[in-house]
Amino acid sequence: MRIPLSWLREYVDLPATETGRDLQEKLVSSGLEVETVEQLGAGLKGPLVVGQVLTIEELEGFKKPIRFCTVDVGQANGTGEPQEIVCGARNFAVGDKVVVVLPGAVLPGDFAIAARKTYGRTSHGMICSGDELGMGDDGSGGIIVLPPEHEVGTDAIELLELVDEVLDIAVTANRGDCLSLRGVAREAAIAYGIPLRDPALLDVPGPNAHGYPVQISEPAGCDRFTARTVTGLSPEARSPIWLKRRLQKAGMRPISLAVDITNYVMLELGQPLHAYDRSLVQGTIGVRRAEQGEKFTTLDGAKRVLDAEDLVITDERGPIGLAGVMGGANTEIADHDAEAGTSDVVIEAAHFDPVSIARTARRHKLSSEASKRFERGVDPMAASAAAQRVVDLLVLLAGGTAEEGVTEVIAPSAPHTITLPADHPDKVAGVTYGRETVVRRLQQVGCDVYGQDNLTVTVPSWRPDLADPNDLAEEVIRLEGYENLPSTLPRPPAGRGLTGRQRLHRRVGRALAGAGYVEALNYPFISDETLAKLGIEKDDPRRTTVKLVNPLSDEEPALRTTLLPGLLEALRRNDGRGSHDLALFETGLVFRPTGDEPQAVRLPVDRRPTDEEIAELDAALPRQPRRAAVVLTGAREQAGWWGKGRPADWADAVEAARTIAREAGVELTVRGDQHAPWHPGRCAALSVVVDGEEILAGHAGELHPRVIKALHLPERSCAMEVDLDVLERAGTGAVQAPRISTFPVATQDVALVVDAAVPAAEVESALREGAGELLESLRLFDVFTGEQLGEGRKSLAYALRFRAGDRTLTVDEASAARDAAVSLAAERTGAVLRGA
Amino acid sequence: MSAPNKSYDPVEVEALKPEEIERMRDEALAAFAAADSLDALQEAKVAHTGGTSPLSLANREIGALPPHAKAEAGKRVGMARGAVSKAFAARQAELEAERDARVLVEEAVDVTLPYDRTPAGARHPLTTLSERIEDVFVAMGYEVAEGPEVEAEWFNFDALNIGPDHPARGMQDTFFVQGPKGRETESNVVLRTHTSPVQIRSMLDREPPVYVICPGRVYRSDELDATHTPVFMQVELLAVDEGLTMSDLKGTLDHMVQALFGEGMTTRLRPNFFPFTEPSAEMDMVCYVCRGESVGNPDRPCRTCSSEGWIELGGCGMVNPKVLTAAGIDPEKYSGFAFGFGIERMLMFRHNVEDMRDMVEGDVRFTRPFGMEI
């Protein structure tokens, strides 16, 4: 809402020295968000005067038509001689009154005016457009042509009210009353503790039987309808300058006198109004719900198909207005320039149900000045005053005659009252205001207050947002000043810190960053095509995605079922920007619907939902496990003066999973697997044991070459993804401390030859089991293939360390344990001791 | 027992003559001094203190002396040997020091060589900033609460007093999740637009008092640009207890900005409107960059706060009693306060980030400098 300070001063006697910035500060502190204070005409300096065009000479031979004019500016130029001015505009004629800026003046934007040669003549000043004067759009599309009654030589800065301050207020959804000068003036009056001259306090004749007939068949949607008629409007009447200027400053475009007046009164009182051309309305005006599919053309020329919930204004033929939103083209007031100008009008000032208006405006994507106000709440008691104000202005400015008939259809309603303990605001604020202050503040807002310890408060008709005790508490607290609230701290019960899941999440992030991975937080929006490019088959559960009704991009309408698409995109982006050695990680939710989720139920809000109801709601949501993933490419270790580098490979990806598993205190079982998007020969399935049952936790390895090609990734890129929630469940709890033996260690190395296809993990597990309790540790230190082993064979060299807790092992004991290990490995995997 | 051989004169034993012993000692000292390496010193040691060295041989002669002469000769030889071994030790220390100095010089390296064998990793600053904020409240006794990002509308809107006709439910802000075929727009499920549904879930899960901090990702359908992102991180707080007041809210906010930005920081509340709080307020903090010194000071303009002296953080207020009712908490007995803000903007002014896109693109050059914690 734009509030010109000069206009506001009509309703409150602000101190004369008070600036827009001063008022802004006061209003902000009491709760109106004044975003800016615009300084109109800042830097503007005359002479800027009314002139009359005496002669026009059309100059030929230029790219566009140019006029050389002489203009009478009276004594403003000091000589009384006609002023010679070159002008490019064409919307004026000899004899027109115009606005002339003379040399020596400065226009907004630091535009200094001086005599200058142009188009072969000397121009001593300019004939001005609204734009050049910073007035905003006046609809003329050229220079300003003034009404003829203004004298030449008159100061136009004052005449056009060019210097002013305009407060731009972002009105919150609950304060419909502040979408008017009246509402903002009331806030200003409270803020300064001075009286308000309420513009809605008008003498209004009571309703009678000769008013325009109105029939409301939908009182739930329209609880008040005032109709007044004004006849004999002069076709020549135009909006006076002051009216146009106020509309412009408030951000509206002047259109025609009757429309300008209804807009002016709406800005002043907050009551949206509509004027119908009476000659075009046939019979009784009605208010009803539209018929489903009913067709109607609004003022903006749009043909609309109505919904059965839309509220419409009708005459005998059908709809003539979309109630509270926009009038109809069929009863539009004709412009004064049109052949048959409107001479008689019916004025509507009605009150509509905010929810109904909001729905209609949204349904038809039609937000108007009227709907904006009705949605937020309009003072129903101001309707008849607003109609009266329009009547008065039409009589005054358009020479019309007010008909005696006054129609008022009103559905009975009681004012809203709230009861609350007098100390309720104190309890909400944590400040002792006392009853007296509370009552005074509520009265300032316009409430009627009765009672001692318990207050009965009747809220004013313009504040429908005041519905509950806390609403009243807020009024008191904001007017007493939020800035005066003290700073105190509550005492929460002693806390228990983060949960295990939260601590694991943090540890995983730290461990991966410690291992050289950089965290990337990627958007979860993906396309089905990307999943296909990852080689994920159509029947894979990862292809069942949550889809958005209104995605940001139609190309990415789904939510991720795996973290890899986002991470790989980040990998590609980094690579494209010249970072080629990359290790990235992400932790976050993935969304795994079954595709059979039911619609979420609509629960009431006036009580706690039952546990069953909550469970039913949750069943409508997809599973949302937390995952961790890494992607790698380029060098894992850089080459340098220390020696060679090492490219990132599948083993780094698997190791990243082990790093995470270590943080979770979980032993990871690694097996070869074939799983998209990984290379079928270089993919590890990672599983853990939860409650005695082995569960798949994720995969790691090198990406499939086809995936790398399809997603334009660097060759041999690797990836890992695990489910953190599964790892957390697999966690074994508190670590059990090992017993540390101080007896000497006995080391035995063995090299076992097996088929190349035998997984090292199987050999290792057989060795461990066979070696028994004396085995302290086992480490694979070499893998060898070569001719002497034979085709398809490999040699695995292990270092076994034996130790007992109670004695020094003899060589025989250690050897026996080793032999047992080897023989179990032989039995399980066909391993043969190398060289044996 | 026979009488000692009084006539035996030690002087008669050639090797034990005082001048002879002095000579042996001096020769040994000269040989040590002449040794220019540890090996040469070792040879000199064998020659002058070994079993066949003159001093050792002389020592053996002592036994043959008459008792009265033994003491004197023994003392003389002992002193000589003492001097020799001391000289050896001194020379050895000298030569070892020389050797060490030489070797260490030879082994010296250029310690300015760069070492970037495994470049460091880093956590995303939004993650670590969120944790930093969480920790402030965990230290006060709050719990960290989490919830789903794909959320039922009842949790995201209805329970928060955002009725079906509230403009925030319109298509311009919220990502709606598709329902089953034929009823695509009727799932009643959305991407959460704030972490407030976690507040509702927290109240449903617990008996009051409830003190929780709810960090997490939220979604609004804005296009990505330098100052907006459709996916962002929010931190919300909820306290529900008997007798909580708006002054408690103010104190909690003040404590937070002091913990995060240092002593002397403070907040300001301005009236505002939110459906889920009543009274509601907009919360500002003193500008972290200029500390308010740019206000009315055109010579020192502040870009961070546009010389307003305050930075807008987010919204807050006393939990609307209707919200407590929907979450099963008796508003007659309990009151609560809540606040919420996006942490992207906080990261921007706290760390001078100029473009929001840097936070979402995952460029390692942006994230690396932030390390493990901020």
Side-chain angles (χ1 to χ4, degrees), chain A residues 517-590:
Chain A
Y517 290 87
V518 177
E519 185 174 19
L521 298 174
N522 301 295
Y523 287 177
F525 308 123
I526 62 162
S527 68
D528 194 53
E529 198 193 354
T530 301
L531 294 174
K533 281 181 180 168
L534 285 172
I536 300 172
E537 298 290 339
K538 273 209 147 55
D539 56 355
D540 189 300
R542 286 174 290 173
R543 289 287 285 270
T544 306
T545 53
V546 171
K547 290 191 186 58
L548 299 178
V549 174
N550 55 334
L552 269 191
S553 150
D554 288 335
E555 268 128 51
E556 297 187 324
L559 297 187
R560 63 190 181 191
T561 52
T562 146
L563 296 177
L564 294 181
L567 267 179
L568 291 171
E569 175 61 25
L571 184 84
R572 208 185 50 74
R573 187 180 299 122
N574 272 290
D575 186 62
R577 291 177 180 181
S579 304
H580 305 301
D581 304 319
L582 291 161
L584 304 178
F585 84 96
E586 179 170 13
T587 60
L589 304 190
V590 299

Side-chain angles (χ1 to χ4, degrees), chain B residues 284-295:
Chain B
D284 303 335
M285 60 175 275
V286 169
C287 178
Y288 171 62
V289 176
C290 75
R291 308 260 164 167
E293 280 172 21
S294 65
V295 181

Side-chain angles (χ1 to χ4, degrees), chain A residues 359 428-429 470 474 487-488 502 519 522-523 547 549-550 573-574 577 599 608 618 626 638 641, chain B residues 114 117 122 124 144 146 149 165 174 176 178 186 201 204 217 229 246-248 254 278 280 361-362:
Chain A
R359 286 185 185 164
V428 173
N470 269 33
E474 179 176 63
S487 203
T488 56
Q502 289 160 354
E519 185 174 19
N522 301 295
Y523 287 177
K547 290 191 186 58
V549 174
N550 55 334
R573 187 180 299 122
N574 272 290
R577 291 177 180 181
Q599 184 188 35
R608 184 194 198 281
D618 284 341
R626 182 176 274 159
Q638 305 278 327
W641 54 265
Chain B
R117 197 167 191 160
H124 199 282
V144 177
E146 295 163 303
E149 290 173 15
D165 292 298
T174 309
F176 292 90
Q178 275 189 18
E186 296 166 37
R201 288 178 177 277
L204 290 171
R217 265 190 155 188
T229 160
M246 218 164 155
S247 302
D248 292 331
D254 284 343
E278 187 69 41
S280 302
E361 286 178 344

Side-chain angles (χ1 to χ4, degrees), chain A residues 596-808:
Chain A
D596 298 324
E597 281 78 10
Q599 184 188 35
V601 285
R602 283 244 180 262
L603 298 182
V605 294
D606 54 357
R607 59 164 174 84
R608 184 194 198 281
T610 63
D611 290 347
E612 292 72 33
E613 287 172 328
I614 296 170
E616 207 180 337
L617 265 191
D618 284 341
L621 304 179
R623 208 163 55 78
Q624 300 173 49
R626 182 176 274 159
R627 295 278 186 85
V630 307
V631 294
L632 300 118
T633 187
R636 180 79 171 114
E637 280 176 27
Q638 305 278 327
W641 54 265
W642 52 82
K644 280 191 180 171
R646 187 177 69 72
D649 63 16
W650 63 269
D652 292 303
V654 177
E655 179 55 18
R658 288 205 180 89
T659 301
I660 295 171
R662 254 194 309 278
E663 295 302 328
V666 177
E667 197 162 332
L668 210 54
T669 303
V670 178
R671 285 200 189 83
D673 195 6
Q674 299 195 353
H675 187 72
W678 282 276
H679 184 309
R682 297 182 172 188
C683 170
L686 312 164
S687 46
V688 295
V689 175
V690 179
D691 300 331
E693 195 188 333
E694 191 172 297
I695 292 187
L696 185 67
H699 286 87
E702 185 179 312
L703 291 173
H704 198 296
R706 269 208 305 271
V707 171
I708 285 174
K709 191 160 173 237
L711 295 177
H712 307 291
L713 299 171
E715 297 287 310
R716 302 280 174 200
S717 294
C718 298
M720 178 283 295
E721 181 167 20
V722 289
D723 188 315
L724 281 182
D725 291 336
V726 168
L727 290 186
E728 200 232 336
R729 281 194 288 144
T732 45
V735 170
Q736 299 301 307
R739 298 283 171 270
I740 300 300
S741 165
T742 52
F743 289 94
V745 67
T747 305
Q748 300 256 353
D749 291 352
V750 294
L752 298 173
V753 178
V754 291
D755 271 350
V758 173
E762 278 179 30
V763 178
E764 181 177 324
S765 103
L767 284 175
R768 280 187 188 281
E769 197 181 322
E773 285 194 345
L774 292 178
L775 183 72
E776 180 178 83
S777 70
L778 172 156
R779 183 166 182 278
L780 175 68
F781 65 88
D782 194 25
V783 179
F784 173 77
T785 54
E787 266 177 38
Q788 58 269 56
L789 295 175
E791 183 86 357
R793 307 277 284 168
K794 65 183 173 189
S795 162
L796 306 170
Y798 291 92
L800 286 67
R801 288 159 62 89
F802 297 100
R803 186 152 21 201
D806 55 350
R807 63 189 189 282
T808 300

Side-chain angles (χ1 to χ4, degrees), chain B residues 38 90-104:
Chain B
L38 285 165
R91 183 61 183 153
Q92 187 181 32
E94 234 172 74
L95 288 172
E96 276 178 359
E98 272 174 32
R99 179 205 58 190
D100 288 355
R102 194 177 61 247
V103 167
L104 292 182

Side-chain angles (χ1 to χ4, degrees), chain A residues 57 59 62 65-71 83-89 92 116-127:
Chain A
E57 181 190 343
L59 301 184
F62 298 105
I66 297 295
R67 290 172 154 188
F68 179 71
C69 313
T70 56
V71 185
Q83 196 78 5
E84 294 180 348
I85 297 173
V86 175
C87 184
F92 61 98
R116 65 184 185 106
K117 282 217 132 182
T118 178
Y119 297 103
R121 305 291 176 99
T122 300
S123 185
H124 298 271
M126 260 170 51
I127 302 175

